[in-house]
Amino acid sequence: MVETVGCLGSVGYNAGMMANRFLRFEDRIQRLVEGGFARLFAGRLHPREVAIQLARAMEDYAQEGPEGQRLAPDLYVVRLNPEDHTAILIDQPEMEASLVEELIELARLSNLALTQSPEVRLLADSGIAPHHVTVHARSREHRIDTTQSLDIAEGAAEFEPPVKATLIVGGTQYVPLDRPILNLGRHRDNDIILDSMSVSRHHAQIRLRFGHFVMFDLGSASGMTVNGTPVREAILHSGDVIRLADVNLIYIEEEPPTADQANQETSGGTEPFAPPQ
């Protein structure tokens, strides 16, 4: 990606801000996993993956309180593969209460306030691959109907991304990134369905974080590369080439209009008419 010299200072500053935020996020995850959190899952789930999902849900759905403080959501729906769900609850029948304690600690590490003790619902979902987990969060003012599949795009109509971004799939399909969260994989419940047997059922996820789209591997069998480098997660930049198994994707951001272009659009894009002399 080519940056202009005039923007280099702000680009470096923004990149540093992003790096610091991700380092703080990673530090919170590490501190959580090093505690009692790691012993909760009976060897069925990787503690780090669960911690990351909880932290992302807490951060993504945090809201500003009436006094300017940031409030953590207090309702969390954790969906597991049915076999994992059964095995974990047999080994840890108080799992929901244990996760509440961990969420309180995570909110403290994240400098987020809780107006009341969080509630956790642990649900079996056949759409979740074995040894994987998804977490969604809301405040209790917007309660989740857990009798039906949670629509992660709820409120997408009001969502306006900070950049206009598009994902080109297989060189032919153009998918606008018009939601804060999009799932990619072979299974039909994904937002972007990749029709390849080499792609995992739930392969990757794109999330809007800190004003940038970030792509995460969801523990897929074949992994993910960005510009030829194997990664677990990556901040996306315009022109990045992503490979999920044997499927190529290209991430494109639309350049914001220059001041001259904006003025031209406002004035109709033509020069004022001058009558002949």
Side-chain angles (χ1 to χ4, degrees), residues 128-147:
I128 304 299
H131 313 305
H132 286 272
V133 60
T134 65
V135 180
H136 298 283
R138 290 287 189 276
S139 69
R140 285 195 178 99
E141 297 173 3
H142 304 92
R143 298 191 68 86
I144 300 171
D145 180 4
T146 55
T147 63

Side-chain angles (χ1 to χ4, degrees), residues 47-68:
R48 178 177 170 80
E49 180 182 353
V50 182
I52 288 174
Q53 291 273 6
L54 288 171
R56 286 177 186 160
M58 177 177 286
E59 193 169 84
D60 288 347
Y61 293 101
Q63 299 178 351
E64 185 172 341
E67 299 179 3

Side-chain angles (χ1 to χ4, degrees), residues 204-216:
Q205 186 178 82
I206 297 175
R207 280 179 173 253
L208 183 68
R209 294 179 58 73
F210 310 131
H212 294 262
F213 284 107
V214 183
M215 196 159 196
F216 302 91

Side-chain angles (χ1 to χ4, degrees), residues 24 52 55 59 68 77 84 96 129 131 172 185 200 207 223 248 261:
R24 290 198 297 270
I52 288 174
E59 193 169 84
V77 174
D84 293 331
E96 291 181 349
H131 313 305
T172 58
S200 295
R207 280 179 173 253
N248 281 333
Q261 290 172 329

